[in-house]
Amino acid sequence: MNETIYLAYILSFVLGSLLGLVLSYRKYKAPYAIGKLDALAVVLAMVGWTLALNSALITFIPYYITITIGVFLLAMVLGMRPGYGRNETFIGIIIAGVIWIIRAVIL
């Protein structure tokens, strides 16, 4: 069963990257980001990294489903066209890391 779970993670990441690339090429016409944060990408990165790193917080859904959804969402931001999504990814990692540290200290 572990191989199936890893396959789901990999497929989720690939599909999220492709979808993120297609959507970012449709949304952005400029070749490079000019200091603007995309609100939708920030939300996707925060939710994706939080689900991927903190899947133990959601006890009513199996961990492999929450990680698969999280990997899909964070791959959408990571897979954006070059120059886009890096600041949003960094914000998502920081927030998910803070939640993980708080969870580790409290539990």
Side-chain angles (χ1 to χ4, degrees):
M1 173 118 172
N2 287 336
E3 294 84 12
T4 307
I5 293 172
Y6 292 136
L7 179 64
Y9 296 161
I10 292 169
L11 287 175
S12 175
F13 186 82
V14 169
L15 291 175
S17 295
L18 290 174
L19 186 62
L21 185 64
V22 168
L23 292 177
S24 67
Y25 268 104
R26 287 187 182 181
K27 186 174 184 177
Y28 303 114
K29 303 301 179 197
Y32 295 104
I34 307 174
K36 292 174 116 178
L37 284 178
D38 184 9
L40 179 62
V42 170
V43 170
L44 288 175
M46 287 189 315
V47 172
W49 281 105
T50 303
L51 286 176
L53 291 178
N54 300 307
S55 62
L57 291 176
I58 303 173
T59 57
F60 56 91
I61 300 175
Y63 72 95
Y64 51 88
I65 293 175
T66 57
I67 292 175
T68 304
I69 293 169
V71 166
F72 177 78
L73 294 176
L74 69 91
M76 284 183 66
V77 179
L78 286 173
M80 295 174 91
R81 68 186 289 179
Y84 292 91
R86 62 183 185 266
N87 294 332
E88 291 87 348
T89 300
F90 184 70
I91 292 170
I93 291 171
I94 294 296
I95 291 175
V98 167
I99 292 171
W100 183 79
I101 289 171
I102 290 171
R103 180 180 61 97
V105 169
I106 292 175
L107 297 178

